């Protein structure tokens, strides 16, 4: 059995507190909203007014982002008058980080006062009705690595963050999903807005045809390599979560198809839809109420 101090996970309360305190003493911004930019969606961070930027490599305890399309910096500022922090680039299992390091920023944000997380990603469309460029509101997830015990909350539980066995049936906030539908409708985005189930895999290899067929038959509408771990840790800590997938490619489900998933296509789709995605997120933030949850 590990004691809390012997078990060095990289996301202990003390480490997160130290990182949060370092950031709080380095910026005047007191964020209540956290945003994570997915592949090709870093432009979201450029919407922040009076930005203050910290490279991950300069932040104590922070991992570094190694993926092309991810800038690797935290941006503080205001969005429609609301104080925000934005991750321009996130961390993934396939980069080789311990899973607790991938999700460390969620705990740091919580300790800085963040109440609501908005997460974005690029994903493959398993649902055959989905088109490239569609935006899917995530209503639920399938944590495939979790089935094998790869869960960011594995290990001793620190009650200062949350409970040992957190509920996940309400992981994606119902009110925020409704707000997204309302805002999208007002903006005339109904043609490309969807709501569905996101499945996370470890990557970095894309899925085989048999894997795509299996995931679809299990109830997944989109597949990717991120977001779910962050949501689990954010929910554990009592933050509201809202997440969007930009469908950057259609998953190959057919042995006669010549299509192949590739990272350039993922980035290109981000560029095409970026402006509308930014508008959707910023309008949501403008209309968002404070978190009423009591934990
Ligand atoms: N599979 C997994 N991750 C992804 C994909 C995909 O097809 N597209 C973008 N990220």
């Amino acid at each position: 059995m590990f004691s809390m101090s012997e078990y060095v996970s990289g996301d202990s309360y003390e480490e997160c507190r130290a990182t949060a305190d370092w950031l709080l003493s380095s910026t005047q911004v007191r964020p209540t909203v956290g945003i994570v930019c997915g592949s090709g969606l870093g432009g979201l961070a450029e919407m922040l007014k009076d930005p203050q930027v910290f490279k991950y490599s300069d932040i104590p305890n922070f991992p570094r982002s190694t993926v092309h399309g991810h800038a690797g910096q935290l941006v503080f500022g205001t969005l429609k008058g609301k104080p925000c922090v934005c991750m321009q680039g996130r961390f993934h299992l396939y980069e080789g980080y311990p899973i607790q390091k991938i999700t460390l920023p969620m705990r740091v944000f919580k300790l800085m006062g963040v109440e609501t997380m908005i997460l974005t990603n690029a994903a493959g469309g398993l649902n055959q009705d989905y088109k490239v460029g569609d935006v899917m509101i995530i209503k639920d997830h399938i944590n495939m690595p979790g089935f094998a015990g790869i869960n960011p909350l594995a290990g001793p539980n620190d009650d200062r963050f949350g409970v040992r066995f957190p509920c996940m049936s309400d992981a994606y906030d119902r009110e925020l999903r409704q707000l997204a539908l309302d805002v999208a409708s007002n903006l005339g985005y109904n043609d490309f807005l969807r709501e569905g189930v996101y499945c996370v895999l470890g990557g970095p290899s894309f899925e085989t045809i048999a894997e795509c067929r299996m995931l679809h038959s299990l109830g997944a509408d989109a597949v990717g390599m991120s977001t779910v771990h962050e949501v689990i840790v954010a929910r554990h800590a009592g933050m509201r979560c809202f997440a969007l997938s930009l469908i950057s490619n259609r998953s190959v489900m057919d042995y006669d198809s010549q299509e192949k998933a590739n990272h350039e296509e993922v980035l290109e789709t981000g560029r095409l839809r970026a402006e509308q995605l930014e508008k959707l997120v910023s309008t949501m933030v403008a209309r968002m109420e404070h978190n009423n949850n009591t934990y």
Side-chain angles (χ1 to χ4, degrees):
M1 205 40 210
F2 297 106
S3 78
M4 204 70 84
S5 56
E6 284 168 311
Y7 187 87
V8 183
S9 59
D11 71 338
S12 70
Y13 189 88
E14 289 72 24
E15 284 163 294
C16 294
R17 184 77 261 170
T19 305
D21 287 346
W22 185 88
L23 287 165
L24 287 168
S25 64
S26 309
T27 174
Q28 307 277 333
V29 180
R30 295 293 174 261
T32 56
V33 178
I35 300 174
V36 182
C37 305
S39 295
L41 299 170
L44 273 167
E46 270 135 49
M47 293 185 298
L48 298 199
K49 288 249 162 56
D50 304 319
Q52 222 183 333
V53 179
F54 299 91
K55 289 202 174 325
Y56 292 159
S57 53
D58 293 334
I59 304 174
N61 292 326
F62 247 63
R64 290 153 200 219
S65 188
T66 66
V67 191
H68 177 55
H70 288 258
Q73 55 194 27
L74 272 193
V75 185
F76 289 87
T78 56
L79 182 56
K80 306 272 180 168
K82 295 222 168 68
C84 291
V85 56
C86 203
M87 286 183 76
Q88 218 173 13
R90 59 145 63 87
F91 311 110
H92 307 81
L93 269 183
Y94 62 75
E95 291 173 90
Y97 296 114
I99 192 164
Q100 288 88 357
K101 271 287 185 195
I102 293 167
T103 55
L104 170 132
M106 301 304 111
R107 293 186 159 183
V108 171
F109 292 170
K110 169 70 183 182
L111 295 178
M112 293 187 77
V114 169
E115 298 173 337
T116 305
M117 285 302 309
I118 299 178
L119 305 104
T120 64
N121 62 48
L126 294 163
N127 186 320
Q128 294 303 283
D129 294 338
Y130 288 7
K131 294 190 280 298
V132 169
D134 281 355
V135 173
M136 184 185 88
I137 298 169
I138 301 182
K139 73 169 177 207
D140 202 354
H141 71 222
I142 297 174
N143 176 16
M144 202 56 96
F147 292 5
I150 303 172
N151 187 304
L153 301 177
N157 186 60
D158 192 323
D159 297 337
R160 287 171 290 183
F161 285 120
V163 296
R164 169 76 287 189
F165 301 109
C167 173
M168 284 295 142
S169 58
D170 58 353
Y172 299 88
D173 190 84
R174 189 186 295 269
E175 276 175 32
L176 291 177
R177 286 191 280 125
Q178 187 57 51
L179 175 61
L181 290 171
D182 293 346
V183 168
S185 171
N186 290 344
L187 293 170
Y189 292 173
N190 285 343
D191 283 356
F192 62 86
L193 199 81
R194 316 281 188 166
E195 200 170 20
V197 175
Y198 176 87
C199 178
V200 64
L201 300 182
S205 46
F206 287 112
E207 303 69 45
T208 64
I209 294 169
E211 286 165 346
C212 289
R213 290 178 167 204
M214 179 193 81
L215 296 176
H216 186 234
S217 74
L218 291 178
D221 296 297
V223 56
M225 306 172 191
S226 70
T227 307
V228 169
H229 317 303
E230 294 149 340
V231 167
I232 290 171
V233 170
R235 290 298 299 143
H236 179 246
M239 294 189 280
R240 295 196 291 182
C241 289
F242 172 78
L244 288 175
S245 288
L246 174 60
I247 304 302
S248 57
N249 55 286
R250 281 165 54 101
S251 301
V252 179
M253 309 282 266
D254 165 8
Y255 285 98
D256 293 329
S257 168
Q258 297 297 318
E259 280 181 67
K260 290 183 183 184
N262 67 82
H263 191 56
E264 282 62 46
E265 184 183 23
V266 171
L267 297 181
E268 181 58 27
T269 311
R271 281 190 280 274
L272 291 177
R273 199 55 100 190
E275 220 172 285
Q276 284 147 313
L277 215 131
E278 287 160 19
K279 184 103 185 133
L280 177 62
V281 170
S282 60
T283 312
M284 281 183 70
V285 169
R287 288 182 44 184
M288 240 159 51
E289 306 291 339
H290 265 289
N291 187 2
N292 294 322
N293 289 346
T294 45
Y295 285 92

